[in-house]
Structures are given as C-alpha cells and as structure tokens.
Amino acid sequence: ETGVTQTPRHLVMGMTNKKSLKCEQHLGHNAMYWYKQSAKKPLELMFVYNFKEQTENNSVPSRFSPECPNSSHLFLHLHTLQPEDSALYLCASSVRLGGEETQYFGPGTRLLVL
Amino acid sequence: GNSVTQMEGPVTLSEEAFLTINCTYTATGYPSLFWYVQYPGEGLQLLLKATKADDKGSNKGFEATYRKETTSFHLEKGSVQVSDSAVYFCALSDRSDMRFGAGTRLTVKP
C-alpha cells in the first residue's frame, strides 16, 4: 500500500465511449502525475500537476483530458480512444518543491480499447 | 539532458543466485537515484534510493551505491528468491525532472 489509489483497476471500452480514471493520494503531496505504460515501451509521462495547476503536457492527444480539482485527486477523462491507447495508466504523487523528490505510484488502471 | 540507461533483460536466475542489474545515468545537476520494482499486475513500488554521492540505498536485501565517478547505481542482491521475479526500473530525479530507465525483467526459477 503506497498511499496512492486508482480506480477502476481494469477498464474495457469501445472507441466511442467516454470514461474517466480516478486517482487519489493520501500522502499530503502537492504534485500528481499521469504516466502511460505500454508493452515493450519506456514509461511515458503524460501530465504533471503541481498545486492543482497543470505544469506539463507532453504532447498528449486531446482525447485524453486531465482534471485536478484539488491536490489529493486527479482524473483522466477519456473519449474516442484508439486501440493503440490500450495500456496501463499509472498515477503518481510527490512533494515537489524544487529539490529532491520521490514519486509514489498507484497500482494502475489496465485499459483495453476495442 | 538527463537520462538513465539500464541493462536490457530479460534476466533469468536460479534461486539463491547473485543478482546485478546495471544502471548508468547522465545528469546536468546532482540527481537523486532510485530503484523501483513492478510486480505482475501492479504499479511501481519504490525499492530504494540514494540522494548523494557514495550513499548506499538498501531494502529487502537489495543494495545500490551512488557512484558519481562512474555515474552508476547498480542494483545488487546476494541471494535472490522466486518472489523477487519482477521488472526493475532505475530512475533519477534532478530538480523535478524525473527520468526512468526502460526496465529489466527478472525471472527467478526454483
């Protein structure tokens, strides 16, 4: 148990569906992250939020829409996804104050797009 | 820029064998270094870390020493168990820039 929870753990959706992934951290951290982990590819950083403000968007397609209502919650809204978007989506959190930081990860949501 | 390179897998060992997974890094500043482990069907878990040169991180029998002169942070364990089968990621954090290696899959056979 790392203090970061993600729901759902598994999700199957069609290309026309709209769904949302949820992440919650109970560690008092101020930064939250979305990563995509595909088979045989390095971990890809998608979005970074620091004190609820988005500070990074690494050229992620607009069919992925993040939302961070407060420092403890992070959502990833999905719409009109493609089969190649099937992957494990990992949420992480950290204390981001410009110095050394350690990221703590949730268990991930395994997404399958049909 | 910052980057991490770790040995490609997969690595297959017999139980009680000695493990080394090599990791080297490139950084413009003075990074902190990490090893994360990912068990099947789970997210990444922090295994150990070191924040400055010559520090040794250790946990669950695993060790890694921050070597600035060779820019390395190799992961070692003296006697692996079947339960250590997982994917291991080396990572660095340098002023909020986090970089991960590609991961090394370890399989330990009884």
Side-chain angles (χ1 to χ4, degrees), chain B residues 10-65:
Chain B
V11 174
T12 302
L13 296 173
S14 298
E15 206 165 22
E16 298 184 3
F18 184 86
L19 168 72
T20 299
I21 300 178
N22 289 339
C23 172
T24 57
Y25 68 90
T26 303
T28 53
Y30 301 93
S32 296
L33 301 174
F34 308 83
W35 278 100
Y36 284 85
V37 58
Q38 185 176 31
Y39 298 103
E42 298 184 15
L44 276 66
Q45 298 177 25
L46 178 66
L47 180 60
L48 54 84
K49 71 176 186 180
T51 58
K52 61 183 187 297
D54 300 325
D55 269 3
K56 178 186 284 189
S58 61
N59 186 24
K60 299 181 182 179
F62 291 89
E63 293 183 341
T65 301

Side-chain angles (χ1 to χ4, degrees), chain A residues 9 37 96 100 102-103, chain B residues 32 34 36 38 41 49 96:
Chain A
R9 292 294 308 275
Q37 188 178 35
R96 177 173 267 214
E100 182 270 326
T102 302
Q103 291 187 15
Chain B
S32 296
F34 308 83
Y36 284 85
Q38 185 176 31
K49 71 176 186 180
S96 300

Side-chain angles (χ1 to χ4, degrees), chain A residues 44-75:
Chain A
E44 299 175 50
L45 178 64
M46 300 174 71
F47 301 104
V48 180
Y49 277 82
N50 193 15
F51 289 107
K52 303 188 300 177
E53 299 297 320
Q54 184 175 310
T55 57
E56 282 187 53
N57 174 343
N58 286 337
S59 304
V60 180
S62 59
R63 57 185 184 270
F64 294 91
S65 175
E67 179 190 359
C68 188
N70 55 62
S71 294
S72 298
H73 294 86
L74 183 64
F75 295 89

Side-chain angles (χ1 to χ4, degrees), chain A residues 24-45:
Chain A
E24 185 173 359
Q25 59 95 0
H26 310 275
L27 301 169
H29 291 168
N30 59 286
M32 297 187 77
Y33 312 79
W34 280 117
Y35 286 89
K36 177 184 180 182
Q37 188 178 35
S38 304
K40 301 188 188 303
K41 284 188 176 181
L43 208 57
E44 299 175 50
L45 178 64

Side-chain angles (χ1 to χ4, degrees), chain B residues 6-9 87-90 100-105:
Chain B
Q6 63 181 101
M7 64 185 284
E8 288 188 23
V87 180
Y88 292 82
F89 293 88
C90 185
F100 289 86
T104 303
R105 181 175 299 278

